[in-house]
Amino acid sequence: VLASGRAGWEVADAGPAGTFHKAKDMAVSMPSFERLEITSHHLAQHAFLGTYERKGLLASRPFFMQVVETPADWLGTADEAVDELAAAEALAAAAAAIAAGEEPPQPPKRQRYALWYADELEQWVITEDFRFLDLVSADVRVADTAWFPWDAVGRWEVSDAAGAEFDRDRASINVELAGPT
């Protein structure tokens, strides 16, 4: 950041007059919050666990999408820009597999999740990516108005398999900033 672009911060004196003086070399900067990790007990097998990347802002808070490893031969996921040549090659490979009586390449079986702040409910939630912004389909939630999910002090709740009830006792979820990639 250029020095001329920095704000001139002033600090109040402790005295009763409360006068301000220029703070030498004071600057405020935002570290990069690009990735986070959602972890749990070492035996936990929740599909929503893993690495998430920041994708944008929603209600002035960041939202994150889970990073899902996909097979190299699978094309067409929501995040990938598929060019026409690669798509044609994938279709030709699928047609050849079908003609040979084999199964064509299949999409990954693992669903991707989204972590976002539900402003109307005042809680952070995790939903499947295709249910992003759907307030009634949360798989995981924490009733906390923290600006960032790693700052939430409430206990994360995981829904049961039917999505009807949330259980605090089996939810030992940790949300932390991930290191640089």
Side-chain angles (χ1 to χ4, degrees), residues 22 31 35 43 49 53 60-61 67 77 80 90 106 109 112 124 131 135 140 146 166-167 172 175:
K22 198 129 185 124
R35 296 171 70 89
L43 296 176
L49 297 176
E53 290 182 340
S60 299
R61 289 177 170 88
V67 176
T77 61
E80 295 176 4
Q106 297 295 315
K109 300 291 185 206
R112 187 168 80 155
W124 284 94
R131 294 181 187 259
L135 295 172
V140 184
F166 283 86
D167 186 358
S172 175
V175 178

Side-chain angles (χ1 to χ4, degrees), residues 3 41 62 67 82 87 137 157 167:
H41 186 270
V67 176
V82 181
S137 65
E157 300 173 327
D167 186 358

Side-chain angles (χ1 to χ4, degrees), residues 13 23 29 33 41 52-53 73 117 141 161 163:
D13 288 334
S29 63
F33 298 130
H41 186 270
Y52 287 67
E53 290 182 340
D73 60 345
Y117 184 75
R141 68 183 181 192

Side-chain angles (χ1 to χ4, degrees), residues 90-103:
L91 286 173
I98 291 170
E102 301 171 0
E103 285 289 318

